[in-house]
Amino acid sequence: MPLFGNKFSPKKSSPRKSQTLSNLKLGPGEHEKNFGLDYGPVKLRLDQQEFEFDDSEATWISESGGGSNTKEIVKLKKQNQTLTEENNFLKIKIEILLDMLSEQTAEGHLMEKELDNLKLITKSNRKG
């Protein structure tokens, strides 16, 4: 009997049967069934509130609405942002239109003065 001999020698286990990872043999339905690819919506629970991740908005939405409808609040905030941007755009448009109007008015006044000067010159040429 050896002093430091190998007293523990486990038996070799048989190779495990693994599921195939080839996409060629499995259809999409079988893929989900075998590998569990359908996780459903992502949910988070903190204390008494439950949140769900909304992919379309890329935000967390409260499921257990603590007195207010969070989905409605998110929608209203987005609408508010859109209306604010549109309002700023319209203010810029009005400013540009007022600048164009003042420019045309100034050109009109200059043309009237030129016309009056030409009338005076033609009258003085007829008399003289």
Side-chain angles (χ1 to χ4, degrees), residues 56-81:
S56 62
E57 298 288 328
T59 57
W60 289 96
I61 297 173
S62 174
E63 290 286 310
S64 57
S68 64
N69 189 355
T70 310
K71 286 183 181 182
E72 187 69 23
I73 291 172
V74 169
K75 182 180 174 185
L76 289 174
K77 282 183 179 179
K78 187 174 183 179
Q79 185 179 13
N80 187 20
Q81 177 69 27

mmCIF file with all atom_site columns, all heavy atoms in Angstrom, residues 56-81:
data_model
loop_
_atom_site.group_PDB
_atom_site.id
_atom_site.type_symbol
_atom_site.label_atom_id
_atom_site.label_alt_id
_atom_site.label_comp_id
_atom_site.label_asym_id
_atom_site.label_entity_id
_atom_site.label_seq_id
_atom_site.pdbx_PDB_ins_code
_atom_site.Cartn_x
_atom_site.Cartn_y
_atom_site.Cartn_z
_atom_site.occupancy
_atom_site.B_iso_or_equiv
_atom_site.pdbx_formal_charge
_atom_site.auth_seq_id
_atom_site.auth_comp_id
_atom_site.auth_asym_id
_atom_site.auth_atom_id
_atom_site.pdbx_PDB_model_num
ATOM 1   N N   . SER A 1 56 ? -41.130 50.594 -26.931 1.00 0.00 ? 56 SER A N   1
ATOM 2   C CA  . SER A 1 56 ? -41.421 51.649 -27.907 1.00 0.00 ? 56 SER A CA  1
ATOM 3   C C   . SER A 1 56 ? -41.018 53.021 -27.385 1.00 0.00 ? 56 SER A C   1
ATOM 4   O O   . SER A 1 56 ? -40.560 53.869 -28.141 1.00 0.00 ? 56 SER A O   1
ATOM 5   C CB  . SER A 1 56 ? -42.909 51.638 -28.275 1.00 0.00 ? 56 SER A CB  1
ATOM 6   O OG  . SER A 1 56 ? -43.697 51.913 -27.127 1.00 0.00 ? 56 SER A OG  1
ATOM 7   N N   . GLU A 1 57 ? -41.197 53.260 -26.077 1.00 0.00 ? 57 GLU A N   1
ATOM 8   C CA  . GLU A 1 57 ? -40.854 54.558 -25.488 1.00 0.00 ? 57 GLU A CA  1
ATOM 9   C C   . GLU A 1 57 ? -39.460 54.554 -24.858 1.00 0.00 ? 57 GLU A C   1
ATOM 10  O O   . GLU A 1 57 ? -38.933 55.603 -24.542 1.00 0.00 ? 57 GLU A O   1
ATOM 11  C CB  . GLU A 1 57 ? -41.875 54.922 -24.400 1.00 0.00 ? 57 GLU A CB  1
ATOM 12  C CG  . GLU A 1 57 ? -43.288 55.076 -24.903 1.00 0.00 ? 57 GLU A CG  1
ATOM 13  C CD  . GLU A 1 57 ? -43.477 56.333 -25.709 1.00 0.00 ? 57 GLU A CD  1
ATOM 14  O OE1 . GLU A 1 57 ? -42.802 57.346 -25.415 1.00 0.00 ? 57 GLU A OE1 1
ATOM 15  O OE2 . GLU A 1 57 ? -44.304 56.298 -26.632 1.00 0.00 ? 57 GLU A OE2 1
ATOM 16  N N   . ALA A 1 58 ? -38.904 53.364 -24.639 1.00 0.00 ? 58 ALA A N   1
ATOM 17  C CA  . ALA A 1 58 ? -37.615 53.184 -23.969 1.00 0.00 ? 58 ALA A CA  1
ATOM 18  C C   . ALA A 1 58 ? -37.638 53.807 -22.578 1.00 0.00 ? 58 ALA A C   1
ATOM 19  O O   . ALA A 1 58 ? -36.718 54.502 -22.167 1.00 0.00 ? 58 ALA A O   1
ATOM 20  C CB  . ALA A 1 58 ? -36.475 53.749 -24.805 1.00 0.00 ? 58 ALA A CB  1
ATOM 21  N N   . THR A 1 59 ? -38.732 53.558 -21.836 1.00 0.00 ? 59 THR A N   1
ATOM 22  C CA  . THR A 1 59 ? -38.876 54.074 -20.482 1.00 0.00 ? 59 THR A CA  1
ATOM 23  C C   . THR A 1 59 ? -39.493 53.008 -19.582 1.00 0.00 ? 59 THR A C   1
ATOM 24  O O   . THR A 1 59 ? -40.095 52.053 -20.056 1.00 0.00 ? 59 THR A O   1
ATOM 25  C CB  . THR A 1 59 ? -39.787 55.317 -20.439 1.00 0.00 ? 59 THR A CB  1
ATOM 26  O OG1 . THR A 1 59 ? -41.053 54.969 -20.993 1.00 0.00 ? 59 THR A OG1 1
ATOM 27  C CG2 . THR A 1 59 ? -39.197 56.477 -21.197 1.00 0.00 ? 59 THR A CG2 1
ATOM 28  N N   . TRP A 1 60 ? -39.348 53.214 -18.280 1.00 0.00 ? 60 TRP A N   1
ATOM 29  C CA  . TRP A 1 60 ? -39.988 52.350 -17.295 1.00 0.00 ? 60 TRP A CA  1
ATOM 30  C C   . TRP A 1 60 ? -41.348 52.939 -16.968 1.00 0.00 ? 60 TRP A C   1
ATOM 31  O O   . TRP A 1 60 ? -41.471 54.126 -16.703 1.00 0.00 ? 60 TRP A O   1
ATOM 32  C CB  . TRP A 1 60 ? -39.142 52.256 -16.033 1.00 0.00 ? 60 TRP A CB  1
ATOM 33  C CG  . TRP A 1 60 ? -37.886 51.476 -16.228 1.00 0.00 ? 60 TRP A CG  1
ATOM 34  C CD1 . TRP A 1 60 ? -36.658 51.977 -16.511 1.00 0.00 ? 60 TRP A CD1 1
ATOM 35  C CD2 . TRP A 1 60 ? -37.752 50.060 -16.180 1.00 0.00 ? 60 TRP A CD2 1
ATOM 36  N NE1 . TRP A 1 60 ? -35.754 50.960 -16.642 1.00 0.00 ? 60 TRP A NE1 1
ATOM 37  C CE2 . TRP A 1 60 ? -36.396 49.765 -16.434 1.00 0.00 ? 60 TRP A CE2 1
ATOM 38  C CE3 . TRP A 1 60 ? -38.627 49.008 -15.941 1.00 0.00 ? 60 TRP A CE3 1
ATOM 39  C CZ2 . TRP A 1 60 ? -35.902 48.472 -16.454 1.00 0.00 ? 60 TRP A CZ2 1
ATOM 40  C CZ3 . TRP A 1 60 ? -38.134 47.722 -15.958 1.00 0.00 ? 60 TRP A CZ3 1
ATOM 41  C CH2 . TRP A 1 60 ? -36.795 47.455 -16.209 1.00 0.00 ? 60 TRP A CH2 1
ATOM 42  N N   . ILE A 1 61 ? -42.366 52.094 -16.973 1.00 0.00 ? 61 ILE A N   1
ATOM 43  C CA  . ILE A 1 61 ? -43.725 52.548 -16.711 1.00 0.00 ? 61 ILE A CA  1
ATOM 44  C C   . ILE A 1 61 ? -44.246 51.808 -15.488 1.00 0.00 ? 61 ILE A C   1
ATOM 45  O O   . ILE A 1 61 ? -44.134 50.586 -15.386 1.00 0.00 ? 61 ILE A O   1
ATOM 46  C CB  . ILE A 1 61 ? -44.627 52.295 -17.933 1.00 0.00 ? 61 ILE A CB  1
ATOM 47  C CG1 . ILE A 1 61 ? -44.114 53.116 -19.105 1.00 0.00 ? 61 ILE A CG1 1
ATOM 48  C CG2 . ILE A 1 61 ? -46.065 52.651 -17.627 1.00 0.00 ? 61 ILE A CG2 1
ATOM 49  C CD1 . ILE A 1 61 ? -44.806 52.830 -20.400 1.00 0.00 ? 61 ILE A CD1 1
ATOM 50  N N   . SER A 1 62 ? -44.855 52.551 -14.564 1.00 0.00 ? 62 SER A N   1
ATOM 51  C CA  . SER A 1 62 ? -45.357 51.965 -13.337 1.00 0.00 ? 62 SER A CA  1
ATOM 52  C C   . SER A 1 62 ? -46.628 51.174 -13.617 1.00 0.00 ? 62 SER A C   1
ATOM 53  O O   . SER A 1 62 ? -47.559 51.659 -14.232 1.00 0.00 ? 62 SER A O   1
ATOM 54  C CB  . SER A 1 62 ? -45.655 53.073 -12.325 1.00 0.00 ? 62 SER A CB  1
ATOM 55  O OG  . SER A 1 62 ? -46.260 52.520 -11.188 1.00 0.00 ? 62 SER A OG  1
ATOM 56  N N   . GLU A 1 63 ? -46.631 49.937 -13.153 1.00 0.00 ? 63 GLU A N   1
ATOM 57  C CA  . GLU A 1 63 ? -47.796 49.073 -13.333 1.00 0.00 ? 63 GLU A CA  1
ATOM 58  C C   . GLU A 1 63 ? -48.781 49.261 -12.193 1.00 0.00 ? 63 GLU A C   1
ATOM 59  O O   . GLU A 1 63 ? -49.971 49.140 -12.367 1.00 0.00 ? 63 GLU A O   1
ATOM 60  C CB  . GLU A 1 63 ? -47.347 47.602 -13.374 1.00 0.00 ? 63 GLU A CB  1
ATOM 61  C CG  . GLU A 1 63 ? -46.587 47.244 -14.617 1.00 0.00 ? 63 GLU A CG  1
ATOM 62  C CD  . GLU A 1 63 ? -47.466 47.129 -15.838 1.00 0.00 ? 63 GLU A CD  1
ATOM 63  O OE1 . GLU A 1 63 ? -48.487 46.433 -15.764 1.00 0.00 ? 63 GLU A OE1 1
ATOM 64  O OE2 . GLU A 1 63 ? -47.136 47.742 -16.853 1.00 0.00 ? 63 GLU A OE2 1
ATOM 65  N N   . SER A 1 64 ? -48.263 49.543 -11.001 1.00 0.00 ? 64 SER A N   1
ATOM 66  C CA  . SER A 1 64 ? -49.121 49.628 -9.828  1.00 0.00 ? 64 SER A CA  1
ATOM 67  C C   . SER A 1 64 ? -49.516 51.063 -9.531  1.00 0.00 ? 64 SER A C   1
ATOM 68  O O   . SER A 1 64 ? -49.711 51.418 -8.387  1.00 0.00 ? 64 SER A O   1
ATOM 69  C CB  . SER A 1 64 ? -48.404 49.009 -8.631  1.00 0.00 ? 64 SER A CB  1
ATOM 70  O OG  . SER A 1 64 ? -47.178 49.664 -8.419  1.00 0.00 ? 64 SER A OG  1
ATOM 71  N N   . GLY A 1 65 ? -49.599 51.893 -10.530 1.00 0.00 ? 65 GLY A N   1
ATOM 72  C CA  . GLY A 1 65 ? -49.968 53.305 -10.485 1.00 0.00 ? 65 GLY A CA  1
ATOM 73  C C   . GLY A 1 65 ? -50.281 53.865 -9.118  1.00 0.00 ? 65 GLY A C   1
ATOM 74  O O   . GLY A 1 65 ? -51.412 53.816 -8.686  1.00 0.00 ? 65 GLY A O   1
ATOM 75  N N   . GLY A 1 66 ? -49.322 54.406 -8.425  1.00 0.00 ? 66 GLY A N   1
ATOM 76  C CA  . GLY A 1 66 ? -49.525 54.960 -7.094  1.00 0.00 ? 66 GLY A CA  1
ATOM 77  C C   . GLY A 1 66 ? -50.334 56.242 -7.126  1.00 0.00 ? 66 GLY A C   1
ATOM 78  O O   . GLY A 1 66 ? -49.838 57.297 -6.809  1.00 0.00 ? 66 GLY A O   1
ATOM 79  N N   . GLY A 1 67 ? -51.579 56.187 -7.534  1.00 0.00 ? 67 GLY A N   1
ATOM 80  C CA  . GLY A 1 67 ? -52.442 57.366 -7.541  1.00 0.00 ? 67 GLY A CA  1
ATOM 81  C C   . GLY A 1 67 ? -52.438 58.102 -8.859  1.00 0.00 ? 67 GLY A C   1
ATOM 82  O O   . GLY A 1 67 ? -53.258 58.974 -9.078  1.00 0.00 ? 67 GLY A O   1
ATOM 83  N N   . SER A 1 68 ? -51.535 57.790 -9.750  1.00 0.00 ? 68 SER A N   1
ATOM 84  C CA  . SER A 1 68 ? -51.504 58.473 -11.046 1.00 0.00 ? 68 SER A CA  1
ATOM 85  C C   . SER A 1 68 ? -51.163 57.472 -12.135 1.00 0.00 ? 68 SER A C   1
ATOM 86  O O   . SER A 1 68 ? -50.468 56.496 -11.900 1.00 0.00 ? 68 SER A O   1
ATOM 87  C CB  . SER A 1 68 ? -50.473 59.599 -11.032 1.00 0.00 ? 68 SER A CB  1
ATOM 88  O OG  . SER A 1 68 ? -49.197 59.057 -10.848 1.00 0.00 ? 68 SER A OG  1
ATOM 89  N N   . ASN A 1 69 ? -51.627 57.744 -13.305 1.00 0.00 ? 69 ASN A N   1
ATOM 90  C CA  . ASN A 1 69 ? -51.379 56.862 -14.437 1.00 0.00 ? 69 ASN A CA  1
ATOM 91  C C   . ASN A 1 69 ? -50.063 57.276 -15.084 1.00 0.00 ? 69 ASN A C   1
ATOM 92  O O   . ASN A 1 69 ? -49.992 58.287 -15.771 1.00 0.00 ? 69 ASN A O   1
ATOM 93  C CB  . ASN A 1 69 ? -52.545 56.946 -15.423 1.00 0.00 ? 69 ASN A CB  1
ATOM 94  C CG  . ASN A 1 69 ? -52.453 55.899 -16.499 1.00 0.00 ? 69 ASN A CG  1
ATOM 95  O OD1 . ASN A 1 69 ? -51.474 55.164 -16.573 1.00 0.00 ? 69 ASN A OD1 1
ATOM 96  N ND2 . ASN A 1 69 ? -53.455 55.822 -17.325 1.00 0.00 ? 69 ASN A ND2 1
ATOM 97  N N   . THR A 1 70 ? -49.019 56.515 -14.857 1.00 0.00 ? 70 THR A N   1
ATOM 98  C CA  . THR A 1 70 ? -47.684 56.877 -15.340 1.00 0.00 ? 70 THR A CA  1
ATOM 99  C C   . THR A 1 70 ? -47.601 56.851 -16.853 1.00 0.00 ? 70 THR A C   1
ATOM 100 O O   . THR A 1 70 ? -46.913 57.676 -17.443 1.00 0.00 ? 70 THR A O   1
ATOM 101 C CB  . THR A 1 70 ? -46.641 55.920 -14.739 1.00 0.00 ? 70 THR A CB  1
ATOM 102 O OG1 . THR A 1 70 ? -46.841 55.862 -13.338 1.00 0.00 ? 70 THR A OG1 1
ATOM 103 C CG2 . THR A 1 70 ? -45.249 56.394 -15.016 1.00 0.00 ? 70 THR A CG2 1
ATOM 104 N N   . LYS A 1 71 ? -48.316 55.925 -17.483 1.00 0.00 ? 71 LYS A N   1
ATOM 105 C CA  . LYS A 1 71 ? -48.292 55.877 -18.953 1.00 0.00 ? 71 LYS A CA  1
ATOM 106 C C   . LYS A 1 71 ? -48.838 57.184 -19.520 1.00 0.00 ? 71 LYS A C   1
ATOM 107 O O   . LYS A 1 71 ? -48.302 57.727 -20.481 1.00 0.00 ? 71 LYS A O   1
ATOM 108 C CB  . LYS A 1 71 ? -49.120 54.699 -19.462 1.00 0.00 ? 71 LYS A CB  1
ATOM 109 C CG  . LYS A 1 71 ? -48.479 53.362 -19.262 1.00 0.00 ? 71 LYS A CG  1
ATOM 110 C CD  . LYS A 1 71 ? -49.316 52.250 -19.854 1.00 0.00 ? 71 LYS A CD  1
ATOM 111 C CE  . LYS A 1 71 ? -48.662 50.899 -19.614 1.00 0.00 ? 71 LYS A CE  1
ATOM 112 N NZ  . LYS A 1 71 ? -49.409 49.801 -20.208 1.00 0.00 ? 71 LYS A NZ  1
ATOM 113 N N   . GLU A 1 72 ? -49.893 57.686 -18.908 1.00 0.00 ? 72 GLU A N   1
ATOM 114 C CA  . GLU A 1 72 ? -50.493 58.940 -19.365 1.00 0.00 ? 72 GLU A CA  1
ATOM 115 C C   . GLU A 1 72 ? -49.532 60.105 -19.147 1.00 0.00 ? 72 GLU A C   1
ATOM 116 O O   . GLU A 1 72 ? -49.404 60.985 -19.990 1.00 0.00 ? 72 GLU A O   1
ATOM 117 C CB  . GLU A 1 72 ? -51.812 59.184 -18.616 1.00 0.00 ? 72 GLU A CB  1
ATOM 118 C CG  . GLU A 1 72 ? -52.589 60.361 -19.131 1.00 0.00 ? 72 GLU A CG  1
ATOM 119 C CD  . GLU A 1 72 ? -53.168 60.150 -20.518 1.00 0.00 ? 72 GLU A CD  1
ATOM 120 O OE1 . GLU A 1 72 ? -53.355 58.993 -20.938 1.00 0.00 ? 72 GLU A OE1 1
ATOM 121 O OE2 . GLU A 1 72 ? -53.438 61.161 -21.193 1.00 0.00 ? 72 GLU A OE2 1
ATOM 122 N N   . ILE A 1 73 ? -48.819 60.088 -18.023 1.00 0.00 ? 73 ILE A N   1
ATOM 123 C CA  . ILE A 1 73 ? -47.861 61.156 -17.727 1.00 0.00 ? 73 ILE A CA  1
ATOM 124 C C   . ILE A 1 73 ? -46.729 61.153 -18.744 1.00 0.00 ? 73 ILE A C   1
ATOM 125 O O   . ILE A 1 73 ? -46.340 62.207 -19.254 1.00 0.00 ? 73 ILE A O   1
ATOM 126 C CB  . ILE A 1 73 ? -47.315 61.010 -16.293 1.00 0.00 ? 73 ILE A CB  1
ATOM 127 C CG1 . ILE A 1 73 ? -48.419 61.314 -15.290 1.00 0.00 ? 73 ILE A CG1 1
ATOM 128 C CG2 . ILE A 1 73 ? -46.121 61.920 -16.062 1.00 0.00 ? 73 ILE A CG2 1
ATOM 129 C CD1 . ILE A 1 73 ? -48.047 61.021 -13.858 1.00 0.00 ? 73 ILE A CD1 1
ATOM 130 N N   . VAL A 1 74 ? -46.211 59.976 -19.066 1.00 0.00 ? 74 VAL A N   1
ATOM 131 C CA  . VAL A 1 74 ? -45.128 59.870 -20.049 1.00 0.00 ? 74 VAL A CA  1
ATOM 132 C C   . VAL A 1 74 ? -45.619 60.369 -21.405 1.00 0.00 ? 74 VAL A C   1
ATOM 133 O O   . VAL A 1 74 ? -44.923 61.123 -22.101 1.00 0.00 ? 74 VAL A O   1
ATOM 134 C CB  . VAL A 1 74 ? -44.622 58.411 -20.142 1.00 0.00 ? 74 VAL A CB  1
ATOM 135 C CG1 . VAL A 1 74 ? -43.705 58.229 -21.332 1.00 0.00 ? 74 VAL A CG1 1
ATOM 136 C CG2 . VAL A 1 74 ? -43.931 58.013 -18.865 1.00 0.00 ? 74 VAL A CG2 1
ATOM 137 N N   . LYS A 1 75 ? -46.832 59.979 -21.780 1.00 0.00 ? 75 LYS A N   1
ATOM 138 C CA  . LYS A 1 75 ? -47.401 60.408 -23.062 1.00 0.00 ? 75 LYS A CA  1
ATOM 139 C C   . LYS A 1 75 ? -47.576 61.923 -23.088 1.00 0.00 ? 75 LYS A C   1
ATOM 140 O O   . LYS A 1 75 ? -47.248 62.578 -24.083 1.00 0.00 ? 75 LYS A O   1
ATOM 141 C CB  . LYS A 1 75 ? -48.746 59.713 -23.275 1.00 0.00 ? 75 LYS A CB  1
ATOM 142 C CG  . LYS A 1 75 ? -49.411 60.029 -24.574 1.00 0.00 ? 75 LYS A CG  1
ATOM 143 C CD  . LYS A 1 75 ? -50.740 59.301 -24.687 1.00 0.00 ? 75 LYS A CD  1
ATOM 144 C CE  . LYS A 1 75 ? -51.495 59.723 -25.926 1.00 0.00 ? 75 LYS A CE  1
ATOM 145 N NZ  . LYS A 1 75 ? -52.825 59.115 -25.993 1.00 0.00 ? 75 LYS A NZ  1
ATOM 146 N N   . LEU A 1 76 ? -48.075 62.500 -21.988 1.00 0.00 ? 76 LEU A N   1
ATOM 147 C CA  . LEU A 1 76 ? -48.276 63.948 -21.931 1.00 0.00 ? 76 LEU A CA  1
ATOM 148 C C   . LEU A 1 76 ? -46.950 64.712 -21.939 1.00 0.00 ? 76 LEU A C   1
ATOM 149 O O   . LEU A 1 76 ? -46.843 65.769 -22.554 1.00 0.00 ? 76 LEU A O   1
ATOM 150 C CB  . LEU A 1 76 ? -49.088 64.315 -20.691 1.00 0.00 ? 76 LEU A CB  1
ATOM 151 C CG  . LEU A 1 76 ? -50.566 63.918 -20.723 1.00 0.00 ? 76 LEU A CG  1
ATOM 152 C CD1 . LEU A 1 76 ? -51.214 64.195 -19.379 1.00 0.00 ? 76 LEU A CD1 1
ATOM 153 C CD2 . LEU A 1 76 ? -51.305 64.616 -21.845 1.00 0.00 ? 76 LEU A CD2 1
ATOM 154 N N   . LYS A 1 77 ? -45.927 64.160 -21.285 1.00 0.00 ? 77 LYS A N   1
ATOM 155 C CA  . LYS A 1 77 ? -44.611 64.812 -21.309 1.00 0.00 ? 77 LYS A CA  1
ATOM 156 C C   . LYS A 1 77 ? -44.046 64.834 -22.725 1.00 0.00 ? 77 LYS A C   1
ATOM 157 O O   . LYS A 1 77 ? -43.475 65.829 -23.162 1.00 0.00 ? 77 LYS A O   1
ATOM 158 C CB  . LYS A 1 77 ? -43.638 64.096 -20.366 1.00 0.00 ? 77 LYS A CB  1
ATOM 159 C CG  . LYS A 1 77 ? -43.844 64.435 -18.923 1.00 0.00 ? 77 LYS A CG  1
ATOM 160 C CD  . LYS A 1 77 ? -42.810 63.755 -18.051 1.00 0.00 ? 77 LYS A CD  1
ATOM 161 C CE  . LYS A 1 77 ? -43.002 64.113 -16.597 1.00 0.00 ? 77 LYS A CE  1
ATOM 162 N NZ  . LYS A 1 77 ? -42.024 63.458 -15.727 1.00 0.00 ? 77 LYS A NZ  1
ATOM 163 N N   . LYS A 1 78 ? -44.206 63.718 -23.430 1.00 0.00 ? 78 LYS A N   1
ATOM 164 C CA  . LYS A 1 78 ? -43.719 63.654 -24.809 1.00 0.00 ? 78 LYS A CA  1
ATOM 165 C C   . LYS A 1 78 ? -44.489 64.636 -25.688 1.00 0.00 ? 78 LYS A C   1
ATOM 166 O O   . LYS A 1 78 ? -43.903 65.338 -26.518 1.00 0.00 ? 78 LYS A O   1
ATOM 167 C CB  . LYS A 1 78 ? -43.866 62.231 -25.341 1.00 0.00 ? 78 LYS A CB  1
ATOM 168 C CG  . LYS A 1 78 ? -43.238 62.026 -26.689 1.00 0.00 ? 78 LYS A CG  1
ATOM 169 C CD  . LYS A 1 78 ? -43.284 60.576 -27.098 1.00 0.00 ? 78 LYS A CD  1
ATOM 170 C CE  . LYS A 1 78 ? -42.588 60.381 -28.417 1.00 0.00 ? 78 LYS A CE  1
ATOM 171 N NZ  . LYS A 1 78 ? -42.588 59.001 -28.851 1.00 0.00 ? 78 LYS A NZ  1
ATOM 172 N N   . GLN A 1 79 ? -45.812 64.705 -25.502 1.00 0.00 ? 79 GLN A N   1
ATOM 173 C CA  . GLN A 1 79 ? -46.629 65.630 -26.281 1.00 0.00 ? 79 GLN A CA  1
ATOM 174 C C   . GLN A 1 79 ? -46.255 67.073 -25.950 1.00 0.00 ? 79 GLN A C   1
ATOM 175 O O   . GLN A 1 79 ? -46.185 67.923 -26.841 1.00 0.00 ? 79 GLN A O   1
ATOM 176 C CB  . GLN A 1 79 ? -48.106 65.381 -25.983 1.00 0.00 ? 79 GLN A CB  1
ATOM 177 C CG  . GLN A 1 79 ? -49.051 66.203 -26.840 1.00 0.00 ? 79 GLN A CG  1
ATOM 178 C CD  . GLN A 1 79 ? -50.506 65.900 -26.511 1.00 0.00 ? 79 GLN A CD  1
ATOM 179 O OE1 . GLN A 1 79 ? -50.826 65.277 -25.511 1.00 0.00 ? 79 GLN A OE1 1
ATOM 180 N NE2 . GLN A 1 79 ? -51.387 66.349 -27.372 1.00 0.00 ? 79 GLN A NE2 1
ATOM 181 N N   . ASN A 1 80 ? -45.991 67.349 -24.666 1.00 0.00 ? 80 ASN A N   1
ATOM 182 C CA  . ASN A 1 80 ? -45.576 68.683 -24.245 1.00 0.00 ? 80 ASN A CA  1
ATOM 183 C C   . ASN A 1 80 ? -44.263 69.076 -24.910 1.00 0.00 ? 80 ASN A C   1
ATOM 184 O O   . ASN A 1 80 ? -44.104 70.204 -25.385 1.00 0.00 ? 80 ASN A O   1
ATOM 185 C CB  . ASN A 1 80 ? -45.448 68.733 -22.727 1.00 0.00 ? 80 ASN A CB  1
ATOM 186 C CG  . ASN A 1 80 ? -45.176 70.121 -22.206 1.00 0.00 ? 80 ASN A CG  1
ATOM 187 O OD1 . ASN A 1 80 ? -45.431 71.103 -22.885 1.00 0.00 ? 80 ASN A OD1 1
ATOM 188 N ND2 . ASN A 1 80 ? -44.661 70.205 -21.008 1.00 0.00 ? 80 ASN A ND2 1
ATOM 189 N N   . GLN A 1 81 ? -43.317 68.155 -24.956 1.00 0.00 ? 81 GLN A N   1
ATOM 190 C CA  . GLN A 1 81 ? -42.024 68.418 -25.597 1.00 0.00 ? 81 GLN A CA  1
ATOM 191 C C   . GLN A 1 81 ? -42.212 68.726 -27.081 1.00 0.00 ? 81 GLN A C   1
ATOM 192 O O   . GLN A 1 81 ? -41.621 69.667 -27.619 1.00 0.00 ? 81 GLN A O   1
ATOM 193 C CB  . GLN A 1 81 ? -41.090 67.209 -25.400 1.00 0.00 ? 81 GLN A CB  1
ATOM 194 C CG  . GLN A 1 81 ? -39.749 67.348 -26.084 1.00 0.00 ? 81 GLN A CG  1
ATOM 195 C CD  . GLN A 1 81 ? -38.888 68.400 -25.439 1.00 0.00 ? 81 GLN A CD  1
ATOM 196 O OE1 . GLN A 1 81 ? -39.022 68.695 -24.260 1.00 0.00 ? 81 GLN A OE1 1
ATOM 197 N NE2 . GLN A 1 81 ? -37.989 68.982 -26.206 1.00 0.00 ? 81 GLN A NE2 1
#
